[in-house]
């Protein structure tokens, strides 16, 4: 994932691009760069490191320009370095391009260009595509827009590209397939971004560019075309997003802010849908597809990362409440095999961003085979939301932290409501259980708020174990995917190796790793597995492992065994197997 920004209009482009890149650093932060078009020609500045490093590097340099593009990179081809950073310049030096995505047939294109005598400065697929475009432009004696269109017909993979050309000081050419691109419409100016955050303070009117579309963007003109050179009328959407929602609000970093936002984001997710007093759940996307959801012979959940973990929790929930068989698939595996999709299968795609390439392609393929796609997505208007036959938004607000947090709990809230609604329609839940779960679900935001009040205790525990080089996360039942998610967070954020495992499975191998240096985190809430997980804790203690247990308030058995405990209010009985 990378972040892209563009601007053309009467304002100074550089400050707008830098501010936009800072908002998009969640998409990539190993190198950054800008290309600026001004009176003194095309200038490219790029640097390994974060946006702040680029700013330091640029101090004193010429940044006079009203048109420009910027990029913050998450390396795919070639290590993070000044040379591999975007924008890339073409062989003639007249074109500059930024790219988010992967050009899968870049090796073949590179060979063709190498045979013609081209040499490459970087190791990136982007520089190959750029020179491929310039080569077409030179050979066909056509304009840049035409060259891009011809080139993209040969490209396989995913991309958003933004190009500027020395001889056209106010024009940006953009195109997308599989990666997100938003164009903001201002007064005599246009903004481009991977999402709407770089343009929020300037305009609320945006166009979400679709796959295989190409945009010619000038200060007072936006032309959209398909790759067949036919004009498309841009569909203008009004943004319902305020600037405050994408700022840190006093927290040290976005992830912390987003963790503490969960009482309100879960509330927002339930709001207007759940009405425990009247025993109703209103979800129009679910109702519109109820016949298929009720009749589903199988639900296949497709997702990546944290969203995949939400899918694993959903497997337990749907099987328990709806009695529908569920399979949970990594989108990156599902898309490349030849999966069997039968009539009557429903696919649920889960994604915070709604743009994860593997999830998007997986559901595109399944849709081609006739599957019904139900999307659970956070970003409104995103690609997965648009391609789904029906769906439900998580309403968690912008998630800037790379490691997903509040989107995960939002996904769980949507999945639980959805399962309850289907179970009621199907008659696989008693009315008493349905009603009591609705009441409990309504209480979850307040209970999460009270849990977060004790967050300082976690700092004390973290301080004690911060020197560990490995950790094991264990849970049973619904808490097994939660253990996986905990391990993922520790790896991604603390750079500590961690494994998540079903607690009972640990004895078949990983137990060999347990010694006095290994912290073992048990997600051991008071449920029908409680006694069994106590046995697993004993197994760890017998090997001198250090036990940190997350337990339900009032549990007296586990504190006697664990080195440290963190108390957790009883959330929902659904999650505790009553
Ligand atoms: C990863 C993020 O890159 O993408 C995870 O680090 C996230 O936190 C995963 O869960 C999938 O993203 P999405 O947007 O499809 O939910």
């Amino acid at each position: 994932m990378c972040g892209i920004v563009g601007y053309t209009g009467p304002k100074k482009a550089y400050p707008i691009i830098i501010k936009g890149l800072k908002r998009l650093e969640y998409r990539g932060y190993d190198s950054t760069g800008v290309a600026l078009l001004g009176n003194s020609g095309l200038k490219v500045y790029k640097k390994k490191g974060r946006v702040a490093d680029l700013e330091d590097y640029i101090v004193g340099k010429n940044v006079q320009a009203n048109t420009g593009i910027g990029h913050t990179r998450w390396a795919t081809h070639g290590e993070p370095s000044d040379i591999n950073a975007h924008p890339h310049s073409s062989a003639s030096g007249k074109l500059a391009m930024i790219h988010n995505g992967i050009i899968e047939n870049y090796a073949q294109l590179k060979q063709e260009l190498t045979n013609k005598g081209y040499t490459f400065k970087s190791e990136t697929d982007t520089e190959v595509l750029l020179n491929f475009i310039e080569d077409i432009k030179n050979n066909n004696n056509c304009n840049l827009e035409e060259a891009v269109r011809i080139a993209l017909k040969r490209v396989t993979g995913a991309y958003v590209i933004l190009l500027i050309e020395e001889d056209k000081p106010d024009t940006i050419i953009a195109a997308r397939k599989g990666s997100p691109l938003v164009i903001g419409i201002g007064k005599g100016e246009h903004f481009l971004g991977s999402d709407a955050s770089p343009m929020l303070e300037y305009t609320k009117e945006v166009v979400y560019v679709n796959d295989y579309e190409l945009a010619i963007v000038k200060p007072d003109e936006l032309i959209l075309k398909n790759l067949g050179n036919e004009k498309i009328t841009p569909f203008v959407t009004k943004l319902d997003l305020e600037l405050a929602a994408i700022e840190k609000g006093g927290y040290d970093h976005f992830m912390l802010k987003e963790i503490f936002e969960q009482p309100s984001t879960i509330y927002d997710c339930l709001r207007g849908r759940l009405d425990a007093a009247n025993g109703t759940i209103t979800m129009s996307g679910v109702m519109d597809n109820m016949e298929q959801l009720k009749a589903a012979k199988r639900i296949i959940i497709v997702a990546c990362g944290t969203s995949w973990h939400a899918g694993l929790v959903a497997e337990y929930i749907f099987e328990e409440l709806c009695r529908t068989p569920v399979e949970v698939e990594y989108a990156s595996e599902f898309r490349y095999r030849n999966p069997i999709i039968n009539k009557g299968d429903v696919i649920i795609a889960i994604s915070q961003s709604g743009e994860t390439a593997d999830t998007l392609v997986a559901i595109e393929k399944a849709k081609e085979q006739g599957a019904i796609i139900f999307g659970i997505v956070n970003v409104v208007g995103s690609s997965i939301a648009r391609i789904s036959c029906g769906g439900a938004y998580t309403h968690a607000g912008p998630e800037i932290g790379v490691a997903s947090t509040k989107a995960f709990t939002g996904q769980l809230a949507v999945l639980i409501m959805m399962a309850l609604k289907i179970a009621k329609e199907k008659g696989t839940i008693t009315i008493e259980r349905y009603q009591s779960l609705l009441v409990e679900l309504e209480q979850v935001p307040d209970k999460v708020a009270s849990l977060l009040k004790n967050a300082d205790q976690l700092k004390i525990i973290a301080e004690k174990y911060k020197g560990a080089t490995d950790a094991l996360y264990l849970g049973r039942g619904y808490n097994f995917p939660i253990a996986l998610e905990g391990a993922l967070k520790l790896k991604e954020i603390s750079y500590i190796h961690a494994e998540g495992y079903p607690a009972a499975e640990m004895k078949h191998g990983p137990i060999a790793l347990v010694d006095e240096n290994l912290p073992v985190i048990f997600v051991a809430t008071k449920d029908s597995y409680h006694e069994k997980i106590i046995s697993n804790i004993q197994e760890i203690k017998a090997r001198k492992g250090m036990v940190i247990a997350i337990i339900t308030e009032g549990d007296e058995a586990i504190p006697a065994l664990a080195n440290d405990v963190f108390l957790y209010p009883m959330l929902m009985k659904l999650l505790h197997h009553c």
Side-chain angles (χ1 to χ4, degrees):
M1 207 160 73
C2 301
I4 56 139
V5 189
Y7 174 80
T8 183
K11 298 192 176 84
K12 287 181 177 161
Y14 177 67
I16 294 172
I17 292 169
I18 286 291
K19 204 192 262 184
L21 289 176
K22 285 184 177 162
R23 297 215 180 117
L24 291 176
E25 268 194 311
Y26 73 94
R27 300 180 60 86
Y29 42 82
D30 63 40
S31 45
T32 329
V34 294
L36 302 166
L37 262 179
N39 290 339
S40 47
L42 175 60
K43 301 255 179 281
V44 175
Y45 304 115
K46 50 190 197 166
K47 206 73 203 134
K48 180 179 168 182
R50 307 193 68 132
V51 181
D53 300 311
L54 178 74
E55 277 183 292
D56 290 346
Y57 169 70
I58 289 180
V59 171
K61 296 193 168 60
N62 181 356
V63 291
Q64 295 307 318
N66 299 107
T67 298
I69 54 178
H71 187 269
T72 177
R73 179 171 185 247
W74 184 251
T76 57
H77 291 67
E79 60 168 16
S81 68
D82 292 356
I83 287 176
N84 287 334
H86 299 213
H88 290 279
S89 305
S90 63
S92 71
K94 290 191 166 178
L95 305 179
M97 183 171 101
I98 55 175
H99 167 218
N100 169 31
I102 295 176
I103 306 301
E104 288 172 4
N105 59 338
Y106 91 102
Q108 188 193 339
L109 301 178
K110 188 171 188 176
Q111 191 56 55
E112 288 176 23
L113 292 171
T114 307
N115 294 346
K116 290 181 172 183
Y118 279 83
T119 55
F120 298 90
K121 295 184 271 296
S122 76
E123 301 157 88
T124 63
D125 50 346
T126 307
E127 192 189 1
V128 173
L129 177 58
L130 176 59
N131 281 312
F132 185 60
I133 292 169
E134 183 161 75
D135 190 60
I136 291 172
K137 185 172 182 295
N138 293 340
N139 292 337
N140 293 273
N141 203 15
C142 60
N143 64 24
L144 181 59
E145 172 205 328
E146 183 64 23
V148 169
R149 203 178 5 258
I150 297 170
L152 292 182
K153 287 186 183 155
R154 281 280 317 275
V155 163
T156 55
Y159 54 79
V160 158
I161 51 171
L162 263 54
L163 291 105
I164 52 176
E165 184 179 9
E166 193 164 56
D167 304 336
K168 297 271 164 50
D170 66 351
T171 308
I172 301 174
I173 305 285
R176 85 155 257 179
K177 188 206 150 201
S179 298
L181 175 61
V182 186
I183 301 180
I185 304 167
K187 287 200 175 65
E189 59 186 352
H190 283 102
F191 306 82
L192 298 96
S194 298
D195 66 29
S197 62
M199 56 201 78
L200 262 187
E201 62 258 64
Y202 310 106
T203 181
K204 290 271 160 62
E205 306 222 310
V206 300
V207 173
Y208 292 98
V209 178
N210 290 310
D211 278 351
Y212 304 109
E213 287 179 359
L214 184 137
I216 302 113
V217 190
K218 299 181 183 182
D220 44 20
E221 191 178 30
L222 167 63
I223 300 172
L224 268 191
K225 291 184 175 178
N226 61 23
L227 294 187
N229 201 20
E230 292 159 337
K231 279 198 181 174
I232 297 162
T233 309
F235 181 76
V236 181
T237 307
K238 201 138 186 88
L239 283 177
D240 182 20
L241 194 62
E242 293 307 321
L243 196 56
I246 58 160
E247 288 176 342
K248 276 193 269 188
Y251 287 93
D252 287 347
H253 44 77
F254 282 111
M255 188 175 167
L256 201 56
K257 176 188 173 219
E258 288 157 8
I259 288 170
F260 279 88
E261 277 174 352
Q262 288 175 101
S264 63
T265 55
I266 300 171
Y267 176 77
D268 286 344
C269 178
L270 304 178
R271 187 161 50 109
R273 290 168 165 167
L274 179 72
D275 182 348
N278 289 308
T280 57
I281 292 173
T282 310
M283 296 176 91
S284 56
V286 178
M287 271 326 280
D288 293 348
N289 294 280
M290 186 51 89
E291 287 316 307
Q292 288 97 327
L293 289 164
K294 254 167 64 181
K297 298 217 168 49
R298 185 172 61 144
I299 291 174
I300 306 170
I301 297 179
V302 180
C304 298
T306 294
S307 299
W308 184 78
H309 292 154
L312 285 181
V313 179
E315 180 178 21
Y316 287 82
I317 295 171
F318 276 82
E319 292 199 344
E320 167 141 345
L321 298 183
C322 310
R323 307 307 296 152
T324 309
V326 178
E327 283 170 27
V328 188
E329 300 272 359
Y330 281 120
S332 52
E333 289 296 319
F334 189 76
R335 69 176 273 199
Y336 290 111
R337 46 173 231 261
N338 190 8
I340 298 165
I341 296 165
N342 297 315
K343 200 165 180 297
D345 286 346
V346 171
I347 300 219
I348 300 180
I350 309 177
S351 174
Q352 186 287 122
S353 60
E355 300 293 349
T356 301
D358 285 327
T359 310
L360 187 57
V361 177
I363 61 173
E364 274 170 358
K365 286 194 171 169
K367 201 174 174 187
E368 278 164 23
Q369 291 184 50
I372 295 148
I373 315 289
F374 195 90
I376 295 181
V377 171
N378 193 34
V379 177
V380 176
S382 56
S383 303
I384 294 174
R386 283 181 289 146
I387 195 191
S388 297
C389 313
Y393 284 116
T394 40
H395 297 312
E399 191 174 63
I400 314 283
V402 178
S404 188
T405 53
K406 62 175 181 172
F408 176 67
T409 44
Q411 288 163 349
L412 294 184
V414 166
L415 288 159
I416 292 170
M417 282 191 287
M418 201 177 149
L420 282 165
K421 187 144 186 76
I422 299 168
K424 179 150 180 267
E425 295 281 327
K426 257 183 112 174
T428 48
I429 187 169
T430 63
I431 202 70
E432 293 75 25
R433 190 174 185 205
Y434 170 83
Q435 187 56 46
S436 76
L437 287 172
L438 256 52
V439 171
E440 290 187 49
L441 189 52
E442 210 163 47
Q443 295 166 356
V444 168
D446 287 343
K447 290 188 175 175
V448 173
S450 79
L451 181 154
L452 287 169
K453 285 198 183 114
N454 299 329
D456 278 351
Q457 289 173 18
L458 292 173
K459 281 192 190 162
I460 299 167
I461 298 175
E463 186 63 33
K464 199 165 153 188
Y465 297 97
K466 69 179 182 196
T469 52
D470 301 278
L472 199 56
Y473 281 72
L474 301 175
R476 299 180 76 130
Y478 300 107
N479 285 333
F480 156 54
I482 304 298
L484 292 179
E485 175 60 10
L488 177 66
K489 285 289 155 303
L490 194 73
K491 283 185 270 208
E492 198 171 0
I493 298 306
S494 311
Y495 306 119
I496 294 174
H497 165 248
E499 297 268 0
Y501 237 77
E505 190 63 19
M506 169 202 60
K507 59 181 169 290
H508 301 295
I511 200 159
L513 299 170
V514 179
D515 64 16
E516 66 278 11
N517 298 315
L518 186 77
V520 183
I521 297 104
F522 277 90
V523 189
T525 47
K526 198 118 191 219
D527 53 24
S528 58
Y529 297 102
H530 192 243
E531 297 208 338
K532 300 226 170 281
I533 210 150
I534 289 177
S535 309
N536 300 132
I537 292 175
Q538 301 276 19
E539 286 164 352
I540 298 293
K541 291 307 292 176
R543 285 158 185 83
K544 299 193 169 52
M546 298 178 283
V547 170
I548 305 160
I550 296 159
I551 59 171
T552 310
E553 283 166 358
D555 182 339
E556 286 171 3
I558 295 182
L561 297 169
N563 299 61
D564 286 285
V565 293
F566 181 72
L567 303 182
Y568 189 95
M570 172 68 86
L571 284 180
M572 287 181 71
K573 291 204 198 77
L574 162 73
L575 303 172
H576 296 270
H577 262 302
C578 265

